[in-house]
Amino acid sequence: MTPAFLSIRDLRQTYGSFVAVDDVSLEIPEGEFLTFLGPSGSGKSTTLYALAGFNEPTSGDILLKGASILATPSHKRNIGMVFQRYTLFPHLNVRENVAFPLRVRGQAEREIAARVDQMLALVQLDAFADRMPGNLSGGQQQRVALARALAYDPPVLLMDEPLSALDKKLREEIQIEIRRIHRETGVTILYVTHDQEEALRLSDRIAVFNRGRIEQVGSGRDLYHNPATRFVAGFIGDSNFLDTAEVAVSGDRGRVVFPDGTAMGDLPVHRSAPGGGATAAQVMVRPQSLRLAAAGLPVRVLDVTFLGDTSTVQFRTGWGQEIWMRAGAEEIAGLSPDATAHLGWTAGESHLFV
Amino acid sequence: MAANASVPRRQRRGFGPAVPALVLLALFFVIPVVSLLLRSILEPEFGLQNYAELFATSTYARVLYNTFLVAFVVTAVSLLLGYPVAWLLAIMPQRYANLVLAIILVSMWTNLLARTYAWMVLLQRTGLINTTLMKLGLISEPLALVKNLTGVTIGMTYIMLPFIILPLYASIRAIDPTTLQAAALCGAGRWQAFRRVLLPLSAPGAAAGGLMVFVMSLGYFVTPALLGSASQMMLAEMIAQLVQSLLNWGLGSAAAFILLTVTLALYAVQIRFFGGMR
């Protein structure tokens, strides 16, 4: 098998007895936008830093175009990076910041000028070339950082939560811009975020990190519709997890009896990876998959919240678990607190984790 | 308007606690400095003849030259030696950095005379350095390391080094390490990162330390007196001699005033380019 454009193989990083990255492997084709998604401390940034050369992995390898890059120091890796913090050189103006990697490489003045113009046009900051970083907004600073990281045409661009310091509206604006720049340049991007919406908006594929491991790699649709683990199901999109009293599995389908005696069959089965946390079997169902039904899971209404386009309803099951449903205003018109109802859903839209 | 008027009033009230110190400064600094200036242009008669004599007489001009030369070399060497130390302090784990800082501070707090005499022991003809070099066969005659400007420069560099290291360390620590990581990924090796990022960003610290060392060196008395010689005098020694032995207050005041003027001019330059001491 020919190696992928970029391969991360059995990467492991330990600090004393703490395992920050636990045997992470990924094959990344050229031009892909891959996001590392996970909570803080899940190993996603540590993996990215190993690519940048800021920490030396305990074991494992990283190959770019088939050759290991681990022995190459950061400044010779030719990799681009945009950081979470603002890292523009405060003593240089925008133009000189973007020119920095080219000057370090000893390029001719004319080439530098042309390339800097091109990069500033790419991030639409032509008009700000003579500004100092201190006189730019956070969003503008990160766009300049992006131009600087792309100026030397790196094969791989690393982005470590570059938008986390910006407000929501600006973040969405720059996300659109990052997508456009990815399309226009075709550069391979590895993007770290803890924001699932950002990951879904930007990525070709998402690698979900948890406790130093990759739980699942796939497109946003894959992860949402076919979560491989409880963690992924809980992390991508909204979810309810229902306890079970009895479980019978045959092949990839399962039948459960809930603690109140309600039975349900034909549920798709997922076996949790070892060390995946809770061990009791649970059924995961999305709030928008729930429907009011004539017969089904008996519940009591706790609260109804009107949210404009949709409403949410909080229920309590017979055995005391709280679950919630998202639905249109008409569907829940008759519900009020303390009323009783029955909930149903299409078996194929829920998942049984054993 | 009312809001604006209240600001100066509040500031004026804030002066209260500072009054004793201000009175002290006026009585024992401003008045003596002014009287110094007056003596330099009034004794023995009104005019700039004292200043003319200082620059025209080759002995005095020589002393001025020696003083500026030593101050310049001490500052330059201290900067060269201090940068790597400050950089190491900034990147080493905090508890080791604290240890090294403690060593630097203890050396600063050790009695000045003790340290200067120690250098005399090390540098003299039969001192540790000369005997070692001769034993190794590197030299056949002892080097003249003391009782001249070489000795003064060595001794003063040692004494001034902490005054460079401390402000430099502070300004290097204020640089976000991520900025240097960004420089590395941009392709800058150690030297490029130092020259293009670290050096310009730590320049205010270097300027503050450098200015302090240069100014202190210009007026330094003890080390030149002990490690130098009468034939290669520095300005502070000359002022002492003019006032104490020759009782020439006019000339001594003029020399002191030149020192003060140069110091203020350098400080003005530093404020202009680096925004003063930070």
Side-chain angles (χ1 to χ4, degrees), chain A residues 12 49 74 95 119 146 212 218 319 330 338 354:
Chain A
R12 195 176 167 79
Y49 278 31
S74 294
R95 166 170 290 280
M119 284 298 121
L146 186 58
W319 64 96
E330 309 87 62
D338 257 6
V354 294

Side-chain angles (χ1 to χ4, degrees), chain A residues 49 52 54 74-75 79-81 83 85-92 100-101 103-105 148 152 158, chain B residues 175-190 192-193 195-201:
Chain A
Y49 278 31
F54 297 151
S74 294
H75 70 277
I79 283 175
M81 182 155 179
F83 295 79
R85 318 253 289 259
Y86 302 137
T87 59
L88 294 184
F89 305 122
H91 60 299
L92 301 176
F100 182 91
R103 291 204 190 287
V104 165
R105 284 168 174 73
R148 181 179 69 182
Y152 45 103
L158 311 177
Chain B
I175 300 171
D176 185 344
T178 324
T179 310
L180 296 170
Q181 289 188 326
L185 275 188
C186 281
R190 274 161 193 261
Q192 293 262 29
R195 185 168 75 84
R196 292 179 186 273
V197 181
L198 191 72
L199 192 60
L201 290 181

Side-chain angles (χ1 to χ4, degrees), chain B residues 8 10 16-17 35 99 120-121 155 184 200 202 223 238 268 276:
Chain B
R10 205 181 307 140
S35 84
L99 186 69
M120 213 186 258
V121 173
S202 61
T223 308
M238 187 184 84

